[in-house]
């Protein structure tokens, strides 16, 4: 089931970990990377539920692309506790052009595999995934 546009399959573990985050809240975040040798998207890092948003942003490499899922908890103006699942396409300006193209062409197919994403963000530098941006998109 490789994608004709990019040739990237999605490792089953990617979906399993996402379902654990969504249903059981086993993780705070998950980062995924494309393994070019295996020609598939694989799990890169798993963030424990107690980890902070700063831990998450620190896990994004400065010069490599990643896909990331972040489970963001927040309180609404009505004082309701809520959470939203963010999909973040991390593509820093300093990453390789080939890498950026691979991630861009594989993104939609990968996202379709993860059912339950509520907000999507595209980010090329840390300011675009700042906590204020996340808060603004959550409401």
């Amino acid at each position: 089931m490789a994608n004709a546009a990019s040739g990237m399959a999605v490792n089953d573990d990617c979906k399993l970990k996402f379902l654990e985050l969504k249903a059981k809240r086993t993780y705070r975040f998950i980062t995924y990377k494309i393994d070019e040798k295996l020609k598939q998207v694989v799990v890169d890092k798993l963030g424990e539920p107690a980890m902070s948003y700063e831990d998450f942003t620190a896990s994004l490499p400065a010069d490599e692309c990643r896909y990331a899922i972040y489970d963001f908890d927040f309180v609404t103006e009505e004082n309701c506790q809520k959470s939203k699942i963010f999909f973040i396409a991390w593509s820093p300006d300093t990453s390789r052009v080939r890498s950026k193209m691979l991630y861009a062409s594989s993104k939609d197919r990968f996202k379709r595999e993860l059912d339950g994403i509520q907000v999507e963000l595209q980010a090329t530098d840390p300011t675009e995934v700042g906590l204020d941006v996340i808060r603004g998109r959550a409401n």
Side-chain angles (χ1 to χ4, degrees):
M1 282 195 11
N3 179 352
S6 68
M8 291 302 143
V10 177
N11 186 299
D12 288 341
D13 203 35
C14 294
K15 290 179 268 193
L16 289 172
K17 298 292 184 228
F18 176 75
L19 288 171
E20 288 174 20
L21 175 144
K22 188 172 90 167
K24 300 181 194 144
R25 306 191 68 138
T26 315
Y27 311 107
R28 171 64 55 199
F29 64 86
I30 307 170
T31 61
Y32 302 94
K33 67 180 180 181
I34 291 177
D35 185 318
E36 291 187 44
K37 287 182 183 68
L38 296 175
K39 292 204 178 329
Q40 62 179 285
V41 180
V42 296
V43 172
D44 180 37
K45 292 181 186 151
L46 298 168
E48 297 301 315
M51 291 178 105
S52 70
Y53 191 72
E54 288 70 30
D55 295 325
F56 164 66
T57 54
S59 77
L60 296 172
D63 56 359
E64 288 179 42
C65 299
R66 290 289 186 273
Y67 298 126
I69 296 292
Y70 187 82
D71 186 8
F72 180 64
D73 292 325
F74 62 102
V75 178
T76 65
E77 288 176 16
E78 296 81 38
N79 213 20
C80 294
Q81 186 69 38
K82 286 195 165 184
S83 91
K84 284 213 171 146
I85 296 176
F86 279 75
F87 176 86
I88 299 165
W90 175 248
S91 186
D93 292 329
T94 53
S95 56
R96 295 183 354 255
V97 171
R98 174 177 161 68
S99 178
K100 287 190 239 190
M101 288 170 59
L102 262 179
Y103 276 80
S105 63
S106 303
K107 182 180 78 169
D108 287 339
R109 176 169 191 270
F110 180 63
K111 248 180 51 196
R112 278 198 302 273
E113 299 281 342
L114 308 179
D115 186 39
I117 292 167
Q118 294 158 304
V119 184
E120 181 184 340
L121 277 180
Q122 180 79 37
T124 57
D125 72 65
T127 62
E128 294 175 352
V129 286
L131 193 53
D132 53 335
V133 173
I134 298 291
R135 273 199 196 102
R137 292 293 299 274
N139 292 325

PDB file of all heavy atoms in Angstrom, residues 7 16 18 57 66 85 91 105 115 131 138:
ATOM      1  N   GLY A   7       5.783   7.025  -2.609  1.00  0.00           N
ATOM      2  CA  GLY A   7       6.288   5.696  -2.332  1.00  0.00           C
ATOM      3  C   GLY A   7       6.400   5.364  -0.858  1.00  0.00           C
ATOM      4  O   GLY A   7       6.993   4.371  -0.493  1.00  0.00           O
ATOM      5  N   LEU A  16      -1.063   2.290  15.601  1.00  0.00           N
ATOM      6  CA  LEU A  16      -1.292   1.729  16.939  1.00  0.00           C
ATOM      7  C   LEU A  16      -0.961   2.750  18.022  1.00  0.00           C
ATOM      8  O   LEU A  16      -1.740   2.929  18.969  1.00  0.00           O
ATOM      9  CB  LEU A  16      -0.443   0.471  17.140  1.00  0.00           C
ATOM     10  CG  LEU A  16      -0.876  -0.753  16.345  1.00  0.00           C
ATOM     11  CD1 LEU A  16       0.152  -1.867  16.467  1.00  0.00           C
ATOM     12  CD2 LEU A  16      -2.240  -1.237  16.819  1.00  0.00           C
ATOM     13  N   PHE A  18      -0.846   5.989  17.723  1.00  0.00           N
ATOM     14  CA  PHE A  18      -1.808   7.087  17.645  1.00  0.00           C
ATOM     15  C   PHE A  18      -3.120   6.706  18.343  1.00  0.00           C
ATOM     16  O   PHE A  18      -3.676   7.494  19.103  1.00  0.00           O
ATOM     17  CB  PHE A  18      -2.083   7.472  16.183  1.00  0.00           C
ATOM     18  CG  PHE A  18      -3.131   8.539  16.050  1.00  0.00           C
ATOM     19  CD1 PHE A  18      -2.824   9.859  16.349  1.00  0.00           C
ATOM     20  CD2 PHE A  18      -4.418   8.233  15.646  1.00  0.00           C
ATOM     21  CE1 PHE A  18      -3.792  10.855  16.246  1.00  0.00           C
ATOM     22  CE2 PHE A  18      -5.385   9.217  15.539  1.00  0.00           C
ATOM     23  CZ  PHE A  18      -5.070  10.530  15.839  1.00  0.00           C
ATOM     24  N   THR A  57       8.421  20.397  21.987  1.00  0.00           N
ATOM     25  CA  THR A  57       9.112  21.226  20.996  1.00  0.00           C
ATOM     26  C   THR A  57      10.616  20.936  21.000  1.00  0.00           C
ATOM     27  O   THR A  57      11.246  20.979  19.948  1.00  0.00           O
ATOM     28  CB  THR A  57       8.847  22.737  21.205  1.00  0.00           C
ATOM     29  OG1 THR A  57       9.162  23.094  22.546  1.00  0.00           O
ATOM     30  CG2 THR A  57       7.402  23.081  20.907  1.00  0.00           C
ATOM     31  N   ARG A  66       9.792  16.278  10.384  1.00  0.00           N
ATOM     32  CA  ARG A  66       9.069  15.272  11.163  1.00  0.00           C
ATOM     33  C   ARG A  66       7.567  15.526  11.011  1.00  0.00           C
ATOM     34  O   ARG A  66       7.143  16.636  10.714  1.00  0.00           O
ATOM     35  CB  ARG A  66       9.390  15.368  12.666  1.00  0.00           C
ATOM     36  CG  ARG A  66      10.781  14.958  13.067  1.00  0.00           C
ATOM     37  CD  ARG A  66      10.987  13.458  12.961  1.00  0.00           C
ATOM     38  NE  ARG A  66      12.266  13.050  13.473  1.00  0.00           N
ATOM     39  CZ  ARG A  66      13.400  13.014  12.779  1.00  0.00           C
ATOM     40  NH1 ARG A  66      13.414  13.418  11.524  1.00  0.00           N
ATOM     41  NH2 ARG A  66      14.517  12.581  13.314  1.00  0.00           N
ATOM     42  N   ILE A  85      -6.394  17.124  19.503  1.00  0.00           N
ATOM     43  CA  ILE A  85      -5.250  16.431  18.939  1.00  0.00           C
ATOM     44  C   ILE A  85      -4.750  17.219  17.736  1.00  0.00           C
ATOM     45  O   ILE A  85      -5.476  17.425  16.765  1.00  0.00           O
ATOM     46  CB  ILE A  85      -5.617  14.986  18.553  1.00  0.00           C
ATOM     47  CG1 ILE A  85      -5.987  14.197  19.813  1.00  0.00           C
ATOM     48  CG2 ILE A  85      -4.450  14.318  17.812  1.00  0.00           C
ATOM     49  CD1 ILE A  85      -6.461  12.793  19.567  1.00  0.00           C
ATOM     50  N   SER A  91       8.749  21.131   9.179  1.00  0.00           N
ATOM     51  CA  SER A  91       9.626  21.168   8.009  1.00  0.00           C
ATOM     52  C   SER A  91      10.532  22.396   8.094  1.00  0.00           C
ATOM     53  O   SER A  91      10.279  23.410   7.443  1.00  0.00           O
ATOM     54  CB  SER A  91       8.750  21.207   6.756  1.00  0.00           C
ATOM     55  OG  SER A  91       9.521  21.116   5.603  1.00  0.00           O
ATOM     56  N   SER A 105       4.902  15.462   0.151  1.00  0.00           N
ATOM     57  CA  SER A 105       4.139  14.582  -0.739  1.00  0.00           C
ATOM     58  C   SER A 105       3.516  13.393  -0.001  1.00  0.00           C
ATOM     59  O   SER A 105       2.567  12.793  -0.484  1.00  0.00           O
ATOM     60  CB  SER A 105       5.015  14.093  -1.897  1.00  0.00           C
ATOM     61  OG  SER A 105       6.086  13.318  -1.411  1.00  0.00           O
ATOM     62  N   ASP A 115      -6.986   8.637  12.193  1.00  0.00           N
ATOM     63  CA  ASP A 115      -8.335   9.163  12.290  1.00  0.00           C
ATOM     64  C   ASP A 115      -8.566   9.811  13.646  1.00  0.00           C
ATOM     65  O   ASP A 115      -8.419   9.161  14.672  1.00  0.00           O
ATOM     66  CB  ASP A 115      -9.338   8.023  12.062  1.00  0.00           C
ATOM     67  CG  ASP A 115     -10.750   8.536  12.003  1.00  0.00           C
ATOM     68  OD1 ASP A 115     -10.963   9.613  11.412  1.00  0.00           O
ATOM     69  OD2 ASP A 115     -11.642   7.868  12.551  1.00  0.00           O
ATOM     70  N   LEU A 131       3.584  27.855  22.074  1.00  0.00           N
ATOM     71  CA  LEU A 131       2.400  27.510  22.870  1.00  0.00           C
ATOM     72  C   LEU A 131       1.247  28.475  22.618  1.00  0.00           C
ATOM     73  O   LEU A 131       0.089  28.066  22.587  1.00  0.00           O
ATOM     74  CB  LEU A 131       2.783  27.475  24.358  1.00  0.00           C
ATOM     75  CG  LEU A 131       1.772  26.833  25.297  1.00  0.00           C
ATOM     76  CD1 LEU A 131       1.373  25.436  24.828  1.00  0.00           C
ATOM     77  CD2 LEU A 131       2.335  26.760  26.698  1.00  0.00           C
ATOM     78  N   ALA A 138      -6.535  26.077  19.333  1.00  0.00           N
ATOM     79  CA  ALA A 138      -7.344  25.100  20.079  1.00  0.00           C
ATOM     80  C   ALA A 138      -8.770  25.595  20.300  1.00  0.00           C
ATOM     81  O   ALA A 138      -9.712  24.832  20.335  1.00  0.00           O
ATOM     82  CB  ALA A 138      -6.681  24.782  21.415  1.00  0.00           C
TER      83      ALA A 138
END
